[in-house]
Amino acid sequence: MDKLRNYDVSFSGLKTGKHQFKFEIDREFFQLFDTEQEFTNPKITADVLLDKHSTFLEFDIKVNGTVELVCDITNDNFDHPIENQIRVLVKFGEEYDDSEEDVITVPANDHAFNIAQLIYESVVLSIPMKKISPNVSDEDLEILEKFSPKEAEEEKSDPRWDALKNLKNKN
């Protein structure tokens, strides 16, 4: 947890208004989290804009850079651009609560807000489910589509099961 403190944004001594922070995100950042990554060689910059108000904080976090992915088709490595932006409102309350999607409540006596988890989620959500190298040709994709399993056509229903389903639906 001590290494995550490098991603604390201290707001207690800041004046009301906008403040900018910059974080370099690399392999060591992702090693702080106990999850296996689907990518290697991250070279990412996180630009954080904090707009401090008297009763709440607004964070605008932009991540830009590249990660290395393995193509699902060719098994070749390729660089994939990472670009994402999230906005989070931080308000003060009794205890920490992140149950709302875009609003996080922190204890009123906190002096800093850790953005490591927000950066992590922003990067991970930028990774596509299908990892296809830009070097894969259209011909390769057509061949793959031709030999891929097709979705099963809808089977005709069995009248015995339909009768049982009707009984279930009546109850």
Side-chain angles (χ1 to χ4, degrees), residues 19-70:
H19 307 275
Q20 291 187 329
F21 302 90
K22 188 174 213 149
F23 297 92
E24 297 298 324
I25 308 301
D26 55 12
R27 186 174 49 88
E28 283 125 26
F29 172 80
F30 291 99
Q31 290 173 344
L32 298 173
F33 298 88
D34 286 337
T35 57
E36 189 174 323
Q37 307 307 322
E38 297 180 358
F39 55 86
T40 56
N41 202 19
K43 295 176 186 158
I44 300 168
T45 302
D47 293 310
V48 179
L49 177 65
L50 164 61
D51 192 358
K52 183 178 179 183
H53 301 269
S54 58
T55 57
F56 64 95
L57 308 169
E58 284 182 276
F59 283 92
D60 188 9
I61 302 170
K62 295 178 185 176
V63 292
N64 289 298
T66 60
V67 294
E68 193 171 275
L69 299 176
V70 177

Side-chain angles (χ1 to χ4, degrees), residues 9-19 21 50 52 57:
V9 174
S10 181
F11 53 82
S12 63
L14 298 176
K15 294 180 181 179
T16 302
K18 297 185 180 197
H19 307 275
F21 302 90
L50 164 61
K52 183 178 179 183
L57 308 169

Side-chain angles (χ1 to χ4, degrees), residues 98-109:
D98 63 354
S99 60
E100 294 182 52
E101 186 174 331
D102 294 334
V103 178
I104 298 175
T105 303
V106 297
N109 59 353

Side-chain angles (χ1 to χ4, degrees), residues 37 66 75 81 89 101 106 113 117 128 139 145:
Q37 307 307 322
T66 60
N75 261 2
L89 181 76
E101 186 174 331
V106 297
F113 181 71
Q117 184 68 34
E139 294 87 26
E145 181 65 31

Side-chain angles (χ1 to χ4, degrees), residues 103-155:
V103 178
I104 298 175
T105 303
V106 297
N109 59 353
D110 275 7
H111 303 291
F113 181 71
N114 189 287
I115 61 168
Q117 184 68 34
L118 296 173
I119 293 172
Y120 175 82
E121 290 173 5
S122 185
V123 171
V124 170
L125 290 173
S126 298
I127 305 297
M129 293 296 286
K130 289 184 178 181
K131 297 160 196 66
I132 299 175
S133 169
N135 300 330
V136 173
S137 68
D138 290 338
E139 294 87 26
D140 291 340
L141 291 173
E142 287 174 14
I143 292 171
L144 185 66
E145 181 65 31
K146 179 179 177 182
F147 292 106
S148 292
K150 306 294 182 239
E151 290 186 27
E153 290 187 27
E154 199 171 309
E155 297 176 20

Side-chain angles (χ1 to χ4, degrees), residues 154-167:
E154 199 171 309
E155 297 176 20
K156 291 185 177 181
S157 61
D158 186 335
R160 295 172 292 183
W161 286 113
D162 290 341
L164 288 173
K165 286 179 188 175
N166 287 338
L167 285 175

